[in-house]
Amino acid sequence: MSLAGRLRCHLFGIRSVHGSFERGGLDPGAGARLDRIADALVVGHHAALEAPDAKSLHWRLSATPRPFRGTAYEGAGMGLAARDLVTPRRDRVGEFSATYAGPYRYHLHVGVGLALARRRRSPEERLPWLDPLLGWVAADGYGFYDALFRRQSRGPLVALPGGWTPFAQQLFDQGVGRALWLGLGGDAGLIRREVRAFPEPRHGALWSGLGLAAAYAGGTPDQLAALRGAAPQRRVELAVGATLAAWSRAIAASPVEHTDTACRILTGQGAATLAAIAEATRAELPVISPMPLAKLWRDRIGFRVDQLSHPPAPIGRGRSSAGDTRRVSRDGVRPGDWCQRAP
Amino acid sequence: MVLRVAPAPSALSTKTPHLPSVAKRVFQLSADDFPRRAVGCVGTHADLDRTWESVRPVATTLVDAFYATLDLRDPDAVSDALDELPCELRGIGYEGAGMGLMALDTLSPRGWRLRRFILGRGAPHQCLVYLGAGMTLARVPGNPMRFVNRHDPALRWLLLDGYGFFDGFFRWERCLTRPPALPGYGPNAYDQGVGRSLWFLTGADVTRIRDIIAGFAVGRRPDLWSGVGLACAYAVGVHDGQTVAALRRAAGPLVAQVAVGAAVAALFREQSGQHAPFTDLACSALWDLDGYSVAALAHEAGRSLAHTPVAPPSDRYPRWRAAIHAAWLEGPTAPGRDTADEPAGSRVEASCP
């Protein structure tokens, strides 16, 4: 390891993440179960801090076992972003994303969020340097980090960062939801109690995160069925999360069995079906949109997934609320809805 | 056409009270200057006053919104003030707000008011906001790219479009020779802005536009015509059916570029949800479709760009414009079709839906 690499590891390195589970709010046993995930994250992170260039980083990450490679890339995103933040003229994340990150670009951008959270830098400020669609998941990584390392002793587990747009906050909560699944060991009862401590408008995104983590990391069939039963009214949000997990597994060409099983239990559809939905909606995204592309994508996934389980109602029973005569596009999203004030 | 500005809440005036006054001194702007600029570029002509009267509301709205933004500084307060504007001028108001926010951003080291505005309530008008912000860049010394690179990779070219517009309008001699150091698609975007400025400088006089563009290098003409097309489909009050027909004839083989500009303008309108009859008129003359259909077609052209989940999209904006161009060539209004069926020049009044 070069001297500069060692210095960087000393400055930005992670000693251990295991301790974070033993402090209040999360299940102490989770640390042991998450050993391998945490290890992959740290390996990727340190590889990014040490590696002199993108190519050698790529080789080191390729040595990790396939099911954990996504997590290693997440760690790498964290390391590269940490270096970018101190040298504003360099764009290592962008370079790596354009060259070697390929199928793991989703994970890479989640990792960027972890680094931003450590430095308390808003992901939205960083967006112009990130991928136009996947860059938004940095906010998800930020939320995940806060749920692990910045928990509150009273009230909801994690406070929303101020000054963010509502969509970024939604993704933040998705990250918190992911941390809840991993941190509470998939216990639906505990999860439901923890979610109830959050204000109601945040619940949807939390359930998306729970669905994402449950489908990505898996769980026992009983746990998954209990998760689905715990929030019948959040079925669509749960399914959106599962769909994103299935998509990221499919793009990375690492279809693992537990993701497929989890998708079937949570949504009634196989991982391949869900991934195909996500990919088809992604390919249809426009170039210019007043809505962040990532939000458009999520909303459309939600609409399509909802349609799968509920075929469209017969004509005459529209999906929009009564009296609303504004134009509704084919995915049920009204233009301008997301950023306008109430009339 | 005065922009009503609510008195700034005291919370806004706590930090850096000197910033607006500095900004105002650095970025002086007056709507009454505009006719003199036009004389400098295209020479004096008999109907200058009449032309100016039609452009005046646009110019005053732009300048008022710019100064109001410097006073208010807070993106949300700016949106509140802009929403008071009549709907056909609101887009122009947002353009002025973009100028103001960019001016504030360039004066503070980590300024990102403009980004916050675009992520928030400025989002439906983001394209216009970028065009306005680019006009400020023209007055910032040094390389404009250091501010351009802080923005969305696809839409940052609109900043350079605004930059070109400013040079075209206020520094005509300079835009005859391009400004140095514009990378990538920059020079093209810059010329699109210069083309837009021609529409206003000449008071939408097609013959003059044609003569001026003929004086430019051949390689720059397509983008100049594209800019003219955008202005003619977007601008307020300087438009009738015959003008577009004349424009088609004047552009000759480059009419496809005019159509691309009009399609982009239609998309701007559709995005902000502010329908304007003159946009429809331009679209029906150039595309044989109404504004919304052309906007839908422009969206569709963007979808057909080859996407791949494993590589970041690059050059989205130029490729998107090229896709619209290709769509026009396949459409019913491509060359060979006669252009004599335009509605006989009834002047169209703008109205809010």
Side-chain angles (χ1 to χ4, degrees), chain B residues 12-13 15-29 66-73 100 103-104 107 113 139:
Chain B
L12 291 175
S13 49
K15 270 194 225 163
T16 56
H18 54 283
L19 196 55
S21 55
V22 172
K24 275 180 198 167
R25 212 162 301 153
V26 176
F27 302 104
Q28 273 180 16
L29 193 66
F66 171 64
Y67 280 124
T69 307
L70 293 186
D71 283 331
L72 291 169
R73 279 180 286 161
L104 294 170
L107 293 176
R113 286 185 172 88
R139 296 211 257 174

mmCIF file of all heavy atoms in Angstrom, chain B residues 12-13 15-29 66-73 100 103-104 107 113 139:
data_model
loop_
_atom_site.group_PDB
_atom_site.id
_atom_site.type_symbol
_atom_site.label_atom_id
_atom_site.label_comp_id
_atom_site.label_asym_id
_atom_site.label_seq_id
_atom_site.Cartn_x
_atom_site.Cartn_y
_atom_site.Cartn_z
ATOM 1 N N LEU B 12 -34.913 37.637 6.027
ATOM 2 C CA LEU B 12 -34.094 37.569 4.825
ATOM 3 C C LEU B 12 -32.939 38.549 4.860
ATOM 4 O O LEU B 12 -31.957 38.384 4.158
ATOM 5 C CB LEU B 12 -34.944 37.876 3.601
ATOM 6 C CG LEU B 12 -35.981 36.833 3.244
ATOM 7 C CD1 LEU B 12 -36.813 37.321 2.092
ATOM 8 C CD2 LEU B 12 -35.289 35.543 2.894
ATOM 9 N N SER B 13 -33.101 39.611 5.640
ATOM 10 C CA SER B 13 -32.107 40.666 5.547
ATOM 11 C C SER B 13 -31.096 40.609 6.683
ATOM 12 O O SER B 13 -30.476 41.590 7.015
ATOM 13 C CB SER B 13 -32.808 42.024 5.538
ATOM 14 O OG SER B 13 -33.726 42.069 6.599
ATOM 15 N N LYS B 15 -28.417 38.199 6.961
ATOM 16 C CA LYS B 15 -27.075 37.884 6.491
ATOM 17 C C LYS B 15 -26.721 38.703 5.265
ATOM 18 O O LYS B 15 -27.578 39.007 4.450
ATOM 19 C CB LYS B 15 -27.002 36.399 6.118
ATOM 20 C CG LYS B 15 -26.591 35.512 7.278
ATOM 21 C CD LYS B 15 -26.203 34.146 6.739
ATOM 22 C CE LYS B 15 -26.814 33.051 7.568
ATOM 23 N NZ LYS B 15 -26.808 31.778 6.913
ATOM 24 N N THR B 16 -25.471 38.991 5.112
ATOM 25 C CA THR B 16 -24.903 39.679 3.953
ATOM 26 C C THR B 16 -25.836 40.738 3.370
ATOM 27 O O THR B 16 -26.305 40.615 2.256
ATOM 28 C CB THR B 16 -24.552 38.676 2.829
ATOM 29 O OG1 THR B 16 -25.729 37.951 2.499
ATOM 30 C CG2 THR B 16 -23.446 37.753 3.241
ATOM 31 N N PRO B 17 -26.093 41.790 4.147
ATOM 32 C CA PRO B 17 -27.029 42.799 3.658
ATOM 33 C C PRO B 17 -26.502 43.543 2.438
ATOM 34 O O PRO B 17 -27.253 44.140 1.707
ATOM 35 C CB PRO B 17 -27.175 43.746 4.856
ATOM 36 C CG PRO B 17 -25.940 43.545 5.652
ATOM 37 C CD PRO B 17 -25.527 42.128 5.455
ATOM 38 N N HIS B 18 -25.203 43.455 2.217
ATOM 39 C CA HIS B 18 -24.642 44.231 1.120
ATOM 40 C C HIS B 18 -24.727 43.495 -0.208
ATOM 41 O O HIS B 18 -24.513 44.065 -1.247
ATOM 42 C CB HIS B 18 -23.179 44.534 1.414
ATOM 43 C CG HIS B 18 -22.386 43.296 1.707
ATOM 44 N ND1 HIS B 18 -22.440 42.641 2.909
ATOM 45 C CD2 HIS B 18 -21.560 42.581 0.934
ATOM 46 C CE1 HIS B 18 -21.658 41.579 2.867
ATOM 47 N NE2 HIS B 18 -21.126 41.513 1.690
ATOM 48 N N LEU B 19 -25.056 42.198 -0.155
ATOM 49 C CA LEU B 19 -24.993 41.389 -1.378
ATOM 50 C C LEU B 19 -25.868 41.939 -2.506
ATOM 51 O O LEU B 19 -25.387 42.110 -3.626
ATOM 52 C CB LEU B 19 -25.367 39.944 -1.045
ATOM 53 C CG LEU B 19 -24.997 38.899 -2.083
ATOM 54 C CD1 LEU B 19 -23.520 38.954 -2.407
ATOM 55 C CD2 LEU B 19 -25.353 37.510 -1.589
ATOM 56 N N PRO B 20 -27.149 42.265 -2.256
ATOM 57 C CA PRO B 20 -27.967 42.762 -3.366
ATOM 58 C C PRO B 20 -27.420 44.042 -3.961
ATOM 59 O O PRO B 20 -27.438 44.219 -5.172
ATOM 60 C CB PRO B 20 -29.334 43.002 -2.733
ATOM 61 C CG PRO B 20 -29.326 42.259 -1.474
ATOM 62 C CD PRO B 20 -27.915 42.158 -1.030
ATOM 63 N N SER B 21 -26.921 44.949 -3.095
ATOM 64 C CA SER B 21 -26.473 46.219 -3.655
ATOM 65 C C SER B 21 -25.220 46.017 -4.495
ATOM 66 O O SER B 21 -25.063 46.629 -5.548
ATOM 67 C CB SER B 21 -26.239 47.225 -2.542
ATOM 68 O OG SER B 21 -25.353 46.692 -1.598
ATOM 69 N N VAL B 22 -24.360 45.082 -4.047
ATOM 70 C CA VAL B 22 -23.191 44.766 -4.869
ATOM 71 C C VAL B 22 -23.653 44.200 -6.201
ATOM 72 O O VAL B 22 -23.218 44.624 -7.276
ATOM 73 C CB VAL B 22 -22.284 43.740 -4.149
ATOM 74 C CG1 VAL B 22 -21.189 43.266 -5.086
ATOM 75 C CG2 VAL B 22 -21.685 44.351 -2.905
ATOM 76 N N ALA B 23 -24.587 43.240 -6.102
ATOM 77 C CA ALA B 23 -25.055 42.582 -7.315
ATOM 78 C C ALA B 23 -25.667 43.597 -8.275
ATOM 79 O O ALA B 23 -25.450 43.545 -9.473
ATOM 80 C CB ALA B 23 -26.071 41.507 -6.953
ATOM 81 N N LYS B 24 -26.435 44.539 -7.708
ATOM 82 C CA LYS B 24 -27.087 45.512 -8.585
ATOM 83 C C LYS B 24 -26.069 46.388 -9.290
ATOM 84 O O LYS B 24 -26.245 46.785 -10.423
ATOM 85 C CB LYS B 24 -28.035 46.388 -7.765
ATOM 86 C CG LYS B 24 -29.388 45.742 -7.585
ATOM 87 C CD LYS B 24 -30.280 46.638 -6.782
ATOM 88 C CE LYS B 24 -31.444 45.861 -6.215
ATOM 89 N NZ LYS B 24 -32.160 46.598 -5.197
ATOM 90 N N ARG B 25 -24.992 46.704 -8.561
ATOM 91 C CA ARG B 25 -23.990 47.546 -9.188
ATOM 92 C C ARG B 25 -23.237 46.777 -10.262
ATOM 93 O O ARG B 25 -22.938 47.297 -11.323
ATOM 94 C CB ARG B 25 -23.023 48.072 -8.118
ATOM 95 C CG ARG B 25 -22.506 49.447 -8.463
ATOM 96 C CD ARG B 25 -21.914 50.135 -7.249
ATOM 97 N NE ARG B 25 -22.854 50.287 -6.157
ATOM 98 C CZ ARG B 25 -22.496 50.354 -4.877
ATOM 99 N NH1 ARG B 25 -21.241 50.234 -4.544
ATOM 100 N NH2 ARG B 25 -23.394 50.532 -3.944
ATOM 101 N N VAL B 26 -22.941 45.496 -9.947
ATOM 102 C CA VAL B 26 -22.178 44.705 -10.923
ATOM 103 C C VAL B 26 -23.029 44.412 -12.158
ATOM 104 O O VAL B 26 -22.574 44.484 -13.287
ATOM 105 C CB VAL B 26 -21.701 43.386 -10.274
ATOM 106 C CG1 VAL B 26 -20.998 42.518 -11.307
ATOM 107 C CG2 VAL B 26 -20.753 43.682 -9.127
ATOM 108 N N PHE B 27 -24.276 44.047 -11.919
ATOM 109 C CA PHE B 27 -25.118 43.599 -13.029
ATOM 110 C C PHE B 27 -26.187 44.641 -13.352
ATOM 111 O O PHE B 27 -27.368 44.391 -13.184
ATOM 112 C CB PHE B 27 -25.795 42.274 -12.672
ATOM 113 C CG PHE B 27 -24.829 41.191 -12.333
ATOM 114 C CD1 PHE B 27 -24.624 40.814 -11.015
ATOM 115 C CD2 PHE B 27 -24.123 40.533 -13.317
ATOM 116 C CE1 PHE B 27 -23.725 39.808 -10.700
ATOM 117 C CE2 PHE B 27 -23.233 39.530 -13.006
ATOM 118 C CZ PHE B 27 -23.023 39.169 -11.695
ATOM 119 N N GLN B 28 -25.763 45.817 -13.781
ATOM 120 C CA GLN B 28 -26.769 46.830 -14.109
ATOM 121 C C GLN B 28 -27.531 46.448 -15.367
ATOM 122 O O GLN B 28 -26.977 45.912 -16.306
ATOM 123 C CB GLN B 28 -26.079 48.171 -14.322
ATOM 124 C CG GLN B 28 -25.904 48.924 -13.022
ATOM 125 C CD GLN B 28 -25.212 50.243 -13.232
ATOM 126 O OE1 GLN B 28 -25.125 50.719 -14.347
ATOM 127 N NE2 GLN B 28 -24.705 50.796 -12.164
ATOM 128 N N LEU B 29 -28.803 46.769 -15.356
ATOM 129 C CA LEU B 29 -29.643 46.372 -16.481
ATOM 130 C C LEU B 29 -30.822 47.325 -16.528
ATOM 131 O O LEU B 29 -31.416 47.641 -15.506
ATOM 132 C CB LEU B 29 -30.142 44.950 -16.242
ATOM 133 C CG LEU B 29 -30.772 44.207 -17.399
ATOM 134 C CD1 LEU B 29 -29.716 43.948 -18.459
ATOM 135 C CD2 LEU B 29 -31.325 42.892 -16.904
ATOM 136 N N PHE B 66 -35.614 40.383 -12.429
ATOM 137 C CA PHE B 66 -34.195 40.294 -12.071
ATOM 138 C C PHE B 66 -33.915 41.091 -10.795
ATOM 139 O O PHE B 66 -33.349 40.571 -9.821
ATOM 140 C CB PHE B 66 -33.367 40.817 -13.248
ATOM 141 C CG PHE B 66 -31.903 40.993 -12.959
ATOM 142 C CD1 PHE B 66 -31.111 39.891 -12.661
ATOM 143 C CD2 PHE B 66 -31.309 42.245 -12.994
ATOM 144 C CE1 PHE B 66 -29.759 40.043 -12.405
ATOM 145 C CE2 PHE B 66 -29.959 42.407 -12.738
ATOM 146 C CZ PHE B 66 -29.185 41.305 -12.439
ATOM 147 N N TYR B 67 -34.376 42.334 -10.772
ATOM 148 C CA TYR B 67 -34.110 43.160 -9.592
ATOM 149 C C TYR B 67 -34.882 42.658 -8.371
ATOM 150 O O TYR B 67 -34.368 42.676 -7.252
ATOM 151 C CB TYR B 67 -34.421 44.627 -9.884
ATOM 152 C CG TYR B 67 -33.302 45.304 -10.641
ATOM 153 C CD1 TYR B 67 -33.527 45.923 -11.853
ATOM 154 C CD2 TYR B 67 -32.010 45.290 -10.134
ATOM 155 C CE1 TYR B 67 -32.487 46.523 -12.554
ATOM 156 C CE2 TYR B 67 -30.969 45.883 -10.824
ATOM 157 C CZ TYR B 67 -31.212 46.504 -12.027
ATOM 158 O OH TYR B 67 -30.183 47.084 -12.706
ATOM 159 N N ALA B 68 -36.108 42.204 -8.595
ATOM 160 C CA ALA B 68 -36.879 41.677 -7.469
ATOM 161 C C ALA B 68 -36.162 40.487 -6.842
ATOM 162 O O ALA B 68 -36.125 40.323 -5.622
ATOM 163 C CB ALA B 68 -38.265 41.263 -7.940
ATOM 164 N N THR B 69 -35.561 39.645 -7.695
ATOM 165 C CA THR B 69 -34.847 38.476 -7.183
ATOM 166 C C THR B 69 -33.640 38.896 -6.358
ATOM 167 O O THR B 69 -33.364 38.321 -5.310
ATOM 168 C CB THR B 69 -34.401 37.585 -8.350
ATOM 169 O OG1 THR B 69 -35.538 37.308 -9.151
ATOM 170 C CG2 THR B 69 -33.799 36.297 -7.854
ATOM 171 N N LEU B 70 -32.937 39.917 -6.824
ATOM 172 C CA LEU B 70 -31.785 40.389 -6.054
ATOM 173 C C LEU B 70 -32.222 40.911 -4.690
ATOM 174 O O LEU B 70 -31.518 40.751 -3.700
ATOM 175 C CB LEU B 70 -31.051 41.496 -6.814
ATOM 176 C CG LEU B 70 -30.346 41.092 -8.096
ATOM 177 C CD1 LEU B 70 -29.555 42.259 -8.649
ATOM 178 C CD2 LEU B 70 -29.404 39.924 -7.860
ATOM 179 N N ASP B 71 -33.415 41.516 -4.642
ATOM 180 C CA ASP B 71 -33.904 42.027 -3.359
ATOM 181 C C ASP B 71 -34.361 40.907 -2.446
ATOM 182 O O ASP B 71 -34.088 40.913 -1.256
ATOM 183 C CB ASP B 71 -35.069 42.986 -3.592
ATOM 184 C CG ASP B 71 -34.578 44.343 -4.069
ATOM 185 O OD1 ASP B 71 -33.442 44.698 -3.693
ATOM 186 O OD2 ASP B 71 -35.294 45.009 -4.818
ATOM 187 N N LEU B 72 -35.100 39.953 -3.025
ATOM 188 C CA LEU B 72 -35.723 38.928 -2.186
ATOM 189 C C LEU B 72 -34.733 37.845 -1.767
ATOM 190 O O LEU B 72 -34.772 37.359 -0.646
ATOM 191 C CB LEU B 72 -36.891 38.284 -2.940
ATOM 192 C CG LEU B 72 -38.089 39.200 -3.152
ATOM 193 C CD1 LEU B 72 -39.056 38.566 -4.129
ATOM 194 C CD2 LEU B 72 -38.785 39.476 -1.841
ATOM 195 N N ARG B 73 -33.912 37.418 -2.714
ATOM 196 C CA ARG B 73 -32.851 36.427 -2.493
ATOM 197 C C ARG B 73 -33.350 35.030 -2.155
ATOM 198 O O ARG B 73 -32.750 34.052 -2.541
ATOM 199 C CB ARG B 73 -31.887 36.872 -1.389
ATOM 200 C CG ARG B 73 -30.879 37.837 -1.913
ATOM 201 C CD ARG B 73 -29.951 38.251 -0.833
ATOM 202 N NE ARG B 73 -30.582 39.146 0.085
ATOM 203 C CZ ARG B 73 -30.137 39.385 1.304
ATOM 204 N NH1 ARG B 73 -29.091 38.764 1.759
ATOM 205 N NH2 ARG B 73 -30.780 40.241 2.073
ATOM 206 N N GLY B 100 -31.183 36.612 -11.739
ATOM 207 C CA GLY B 100 -30.890 37.144 -10.415
ATOM 208 C C GLY B 100 -30.221 36.112 -9.523
ATOM 209 O O GLY B 100 -29.236 36.406 -8.841
ATOM 210 N N ALA B 103 -26.733 35.556 -10.487
ATOM 211 C CA ALA B 103 -25.892 36.684 -10.073
ATOM 212 C C ALA B 103 -25.503 36.530 -8.610
ATOM 213 O O ALA B 103 -24.341 36.706 -8.238
ATOM 214 C CB ALA B 103 -26.634 37.997 -10.297
ATOM 215 N N LEU B 104 -26.467 36.153 -7.771
ATOM 216 C CA LEU B 104 -26.159 35.968 -6.346
ATOM 217 C C LEU B 104 -25.195 34.798 -6.154
ATOM 218 O O LEU B 104 -24.287 34.864 -5.326
ATOM 219 C CB LEU B 104 -27.452 35.726 -5.569
ATOM 220 C CG LEU B 104 -28.420 36.912 -5.524
ATOM 221 C CD1 LEU B 104 -29.755 36.472 -4.948
ATOM 222 C CD2 LEU B 104 -27.840 38.048 -4.707
ATOM 223 N N LEU B 107 -21.570 35.504 -6.744
ATOM 224 C CA LEU B 107 -20.927 36.392 -5.778
ATOM 225 C C LEU B 107 -20.625 35.706 -4.451
ATOM 226 O O LEU B 107 -19.987 36.275 -3.594
ATOM 227 C CB LEU B 107 -21.807 37.616 -5.515
ATOM 228 C CG LEU B 107 -21.977 38.565 -6.702
ATOM 229 C CD1 LEU B 107 -22.931 39.673 -6.352
ATOM 230 C CD2 LEU B 107 -20.637 39.126 -7.138
ATOM 231 N N ARG B 113 -28.205 28.819 -4.755
ATOM 232 C CA ARG B 113 -29.602 29.242 -4.753
ATOM 233 C C ARG B 113 -30.313 28.794 -6.016
ATOM 234 O O ARG B 113 -31.461 28.379 -5.974
ATOM 235 C CB ARG B 113 -29.680 30.762 -4.673
ATOM 236 C CG ARG B 113 -29.359 31.331 -3.327
ATOM 237 C CD ARG B 113 -29.603 32.826 -3.355
ATOM 238 N NE ARG B 113 -29.484 33.420 -2.044
ATOM 239 C CZ ARG B 113 -28.352 33.854 -1.529
ATOM 240 N NH1 ARG B 113 -27.238 33.723 -2.209
ATOM 241 N NH2 ARG B 113 -28.316 34.401 -0.337
ATOM 242 N N ARG B 139 -21.663 38.153 -18.057
ATOM 243 C CA ARG B 139 -21.030 39.321 -17.447
ATOM 244 C C ARG B 139 -20.058 38.966 -16.339
ATOM 245 O O ARG B 139 -19.493 39.843 -15.712
ATOM 246 C CB ARG B 139 -22.111 40.234 -16.903
ATOM 247 C CG ARG B 139 -22.945 40.733 -18.054
ATOM 248 C CD ARG B 139 -23.440 42.070 -17.752
ATOM 249 N NE ARG B 139 -24.820 42.002 -17.376
ATOM 250 C CZ ARG B 139 -25.508 43.048 -16.931
ATOM 251 N NH1 ARG B 139 -24.913 44.174 -16.744
ATOM 252 N NH2 ARG B 139 -26.764 42.921 -16.654
#
